[in-house]
């Protein structure tokens, strides 16, 4: 089936230009001026921008975590993603203790394959590095999972030690794979949390007070140093603060192959949000911090100290004792209330997969902080390059997958849980006005979102193997 998008302005990481775009058989077949319809269905994009589908390289769908499970699965999360202009994501397949990596991958495919609507890949999160698992790492790279994640925090649950991190880096360097870290010093946090609770501090703001920016900056610097010694490329996930940005920038200045992302929520929220009566909604790790850190992150995405903006989408209900309806079906999953009376028991994570692009457009592009080309670079092109998908995904080039978003820069919406497709009972941006939203979203040429209409079919999204030896940006 052929679709011709006419009269739009195509936006890539490097340029914006008026052109038509023809999609045929799931691919971008042609771009050019005044292309003939030639039997194609024509979509008029006058006054609109035409963007590559966004890529979210940091998500946790249906993740067992904090005594419960994240509430978006590979259907509802994909629907929400598509309504926000995201057509590809990479989820973390998290190894259980004693599990071999290929078993983890199989477990993740069982959750995803029948439900998927957008396309997707996996990172492999290693939590139990036996010798067998270490030797299995290159096979993961050969099978399309060339990125490995390690948690330097969550003591007693997912946290690994430096030996595990370093051995993984050495192996990854040999195999052309990318190591990703959640950089926080979990040992220091554990001491601080126990002390705070012993002193009777139980409220959500203590989540941030027991995870200060120094513990993130220290872990980022440590991982960067170990990557330098191992000669391994490193990608620091969810950077939240100036100290961590500085550690990455210092490593890059010395030629270390280190890159980093931040997530959209870290541009706006602070510890003051955790102090609100419903502060548990903002509990994520690392925590939201200060306005100075918000500003440092905008600088970092402008000056390329950070190369990507993702979401760390990991939603939980604010009140999981109450049922919500999703597509007419009741759903009730324990959520943030698990931490009433003890901040350390609040499930860590936020909903954001649908919100990222409209929020970044409004507050990044709309307020002159970044250009729309840089937005495309941070959310589409760089993620595709760093994670071995480029140019099949992440740009508007002939031969690429026709993952295309018609973006209406004048369309407005008041953000709310009630008009969101994320499967949870709150929205972080409740009541915020955004200007700039997807109008139509195509995945491999198939129309998933048309205004407010949803056409996505479960099981139509494809898992993509990704290439090893991707560039370090
Ligand atoms: O709070 C968070 N970020 N939850 C998801 C797991 C992680 O650390 O990324
Ligand atoms: Zn993390
Ligand atoms: Zn995460």
């Amino acid at each position: 089936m052929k679709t011709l998008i006419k009269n739009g302005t195509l936006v890539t990481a490097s340029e914006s230009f008026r052109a038509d775009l023809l999609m045929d058989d799931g691919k971008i077949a042609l771009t050019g001026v005044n292309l003939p319809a030639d039997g194609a269905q024509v979509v008029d994009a006058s006054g609109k921008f035409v963007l590559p589908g966004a890529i979210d390289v940091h998500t946790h769908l249906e993740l067992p975590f904090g005594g419960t499970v994240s509430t978006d699965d590979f259907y509802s999360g994909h629907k929400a993603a598509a309504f926000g202009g995201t057509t590809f994501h990479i989820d973390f397949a998290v190894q259980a203790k004693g599990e071999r990596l290929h078993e983890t991958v199989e477990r993740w495919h069982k959750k995803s394959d029948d439900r998927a609507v957008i396309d997707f890949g996996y990172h492999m999160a290693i939590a139990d590095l036996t010798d067998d698992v270490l030797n299995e790492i290159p096979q993961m790279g050969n099978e399309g999972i060339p990125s490995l994640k390690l948690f330097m925090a969550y003591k007693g649950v997912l946290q690994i030690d430096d030996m595990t991190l370093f051995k993984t880096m050495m192996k990854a360097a040999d195999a052309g794979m990318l190591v990703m870290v959640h950089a926080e010093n979990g040992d220091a946090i554990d001491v601080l949390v126990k002390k705070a609770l012993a002193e009777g501090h139980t409220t959500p703001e203590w989540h941030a007070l027991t995870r200060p920016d120094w513990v993130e900056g220290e872990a980022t610097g440590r991982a960067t140093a170990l990557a330098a010694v191992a000669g391994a490329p490193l990608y620091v996930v969810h950077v939240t603060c100036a100290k961590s940005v500085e550690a990455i920038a210092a490593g890059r200045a010395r030629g270390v192959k280190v890159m980093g992302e931040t997530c959209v929520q870290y541009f706006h929220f602070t510890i003051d949000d955790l102090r609100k009566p419903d502060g548990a909604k903002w509990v994520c790790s690392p925590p939201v911090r200060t306005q100075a850190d918000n500003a440092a992150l905008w600088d970092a995405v402008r000056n390329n100290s950070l190369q990507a903006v993702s979401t760390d989408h990991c939603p939980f209900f604010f009140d999981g004792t109450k049922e919500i309806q999703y597509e007419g079906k009741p759903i009730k999953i324990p959520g943030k209330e698990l931490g009433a009376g003890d901040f350390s028991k609040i499930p860590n994570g936020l909903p954001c997969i649908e919100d990222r692009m409209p929020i970044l457009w409004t507050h990044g592009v709309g307020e002159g902080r970044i250009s729309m080309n840089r937005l495309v670079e941070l959310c589409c092109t760089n993620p595709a390059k760093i994670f071995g998908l480029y140019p099949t995904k992440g740009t508007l080039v002939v031969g690429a997958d026709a993952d295309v978003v018609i973006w209406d820069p004048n369309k407005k919406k008041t953000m709310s849980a009630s008009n969101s497709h994320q499967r949870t009972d709150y929205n972080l941006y409740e009541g915020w006005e955004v200007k700039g939203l997807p109008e139509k979203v195509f995945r491999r040429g198939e129309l998933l979102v048309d205004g407010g209409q949803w056409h996505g079919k479960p099981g139509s999204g494809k898992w993509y193997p990704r290439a090893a030896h991707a560039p370090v940006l």
Side-chain angles (χ1 to χ4, degrees):
M1 151 97 142
K2 287 190 198 182
T3 306
L4 178 64
I5 301 175
K6 281 201 79 68
N7 307 319
T9 297
L10 274 52
V11 184
T12 70
S14 54
E15 54 188 346
S16 316
F17 52 96
R18 289 288 299 275
D20 302 339
L21 182 148
L22 179 70
M23 302 186 275
D24 189 7
D25 204 19
K27 299 282 180 193
I28 297 177
L30 204 56
T31 60
V33 181
N34 292 329
L35 296 182
D38 214 10
Q41 176 193 320
V42 176
V43 175
D44 182 31
S46 302
K48 313 271 163 59
F49 294 109
V50 180
L51 312 182
I55 297 175
D56 189 345
V57 299
H58 190 151
T59 66
H60 303 281
L61 299 181
E62 213 184 320
L63 175 73
F65 197 60
T68 181
V69 61
S70 63
T71 54
D72 263 322
D73 65 12
F74 279 79
Y75 173 74
S76 62
H78 283 198
K79 180 174 177 180
F83 270 99
T86 293
T87 53
F88 192 95
H89 77 113
I90 312 182
D91 203 71
F92 290 94
V94 182
Q95 181 200 18
K97 296 268 182 242
E99 200 175 36
R100 295 291 297 269
L101 301 182
H102 66 271
E103 294 170 332
T104 312
V105 174
E106 280 162 30
R107 201 154 53 81
W108 242 256
H109 274 299
K110 282 199 184 112
K111 298 196 232 194
S112 58
D113 295 4
D114 294 346
R115 293 183 172 139
V117 186
I118 63 169
D119 293 340
F120 63 104
Y122 302 143
H123 308 290
M124 175 52 64
I126 294 177
D128 189 8
L129 188 75
T130 59
D131 286 346
D132 284 345
V133 168
L134 188 65
N135 291 328
E136 210 183 345
I137 285 176
Q139 190 189 329
M140 287 294 112
N142 294 335
E143 291 176 7
I145 307 181
S147 43
L148 305 162
K149 160 88 170 285
L150 296 126
F151 290 90
M152 299 170 79
Y154 302 131
K155 193 165 176 62
V157 190
L158 294 170
Q159 185 175 330
I160 49 77
D161 59 14
D162 286 352
M163 187 188 286
T164 300
L165 175 56
F166 190 62
K167 279 186 179 174
T168 306
M169 285 174 164
M170 300 277 282
K171 196 57 117 181
D174 278 350
M177 295 169 76
L178 177 64
V179 173
M180 310 166 76
V181 283
H182 171 133
E184 286 185 298
N185 185 321
D187 291 327
I189 290 167
D190 195 53
V191 173
L192 292 173
V193 168
K194 285 185 175 136
K195 180 170 183 289
L197 289 174
E199 289 169 357
H201 302 299
T202 59
T203 55
E205 76 172 298
W206 285 88
H207 177 71
L209 294 173
T210 54
R211 309 178 89 97
D213 60 354
W214 279 111
V215 304
E216 185 184 336
E218 182 277 327
T220 304
R222 181 163 32 110
T224 301
L226 293 176
V229 177
L234 175 69
Y235 181 91
V236 183
V237 302
H238 52 39
V239 170
T240 71
C241 60
K243 289 189 174 65
S244 195
V245 169
E246 285 157 15
I248 292 169
R252 290 170 67 83
R254 291 188 167 91
V256 183
K257 295 181 264 181
V258 55
M259 300 173 279
E261 69 173 18
T262 189
C263 303
V264 63
Q265 59 273 24
Y266 294 118
F267 289 123
H268 295 106
F269 299 116
T270 69
I271 189 169
D272 287 338
D273 293 293
L274 290 167
R275 292 185 175 124
K276 293 173 181 168
D278 57 352
K281 291 176 180 172
W282 283 268
V283 168
C284 61
S285 294
V288 292
R289 300 193 184 278
T290 66
Q291 285 186 357
D293 291 303
N294 301 155
L297 294 174
W298 282 118
D299 285 343
V301 295
R302 263 194 301 271
N303 68 24
N304 206 40
S305 293
L306 298 177
Q307 292 71 38
V309 180
S310 62
T311 65
D312 194 8
H313 180 76
C314 187
F316 297 99
F317 288 124
F318 176 60
D319 182 357
T321 66
K322 296 205 182 92
E323 192 172 277
I324 66 159
Q325 297 287 317
Y326 194 87
E327 292 198 342
K329 293 201 191 89
I331 169 139
K332 188 169 137 197
I333 301 174
K336 302 273 185 181
E337 77 287 351
L338 294 173
D342 178 350
F343 69 88
S344 72
K345 295 201 166 63
I346 302 170
N348 287 199
L350 312 171
C352 230
I353 202 164
E354 183 171 359
D355 307 331
R356 173 179 62 150
M357 297 301 282
I359 288 287
L360 275 181
W361 186 277
T362 304
H363 296 280
V365 178
E367 293 176 7
R369 291 185 171 101
I370 52 173
S371 68
M372 58 187 176
N373 307 96
R374 182 62 177 161
L375 175 73
V376 166
E377 191 162 47
L378 290 164
C379 297
C380 314
T381 314
N382 282 356
K385 287 181 177 170
I386 295 168
F387 291 98
L389 289 160
Y390 188 82
T392 303
K393 304 280 186 192
T395 192
L396 300 175
V397 68
V398 171
D401 280 359
D403 295 348
V404 177
V405 177
I406 301 184
W407 190 271
D408 183 345
N410 294 313
K411 191 168 163 188
K412 293 185 183 166
K413 170 174 148 179
T414 304
M415 305 288 278
S416 175
S418 63
N419 60 19
S420 161
H421 303 85
Q422 296 168 156
R423 197 168 70 173
T424 187
D425 58 350
Y426 74 97
N427 188 289
L428 285 179
Y429 302 91
E430 189 72 35
W432 291 34
E433 292 287 328
V434 288
K435 186 174 172 206
L437 286 156
E439 175 61 34
K440 291 187 196 296
V441 178
F442 298 88
R443 186 234 52 225
R444 281 181 280 115
E446 197 177 313
L447 185 62
L448 300 183
V449 172
D450 188 4
Q453 298 296 311
W454 172 237
H455 299 292
K457 291 179 199 64
S460 63
K462 258 183 30 188
W463 182 83
Y464 271 60
R466 297 177 290 112
H469 300 281
V472 175
L473 302 183

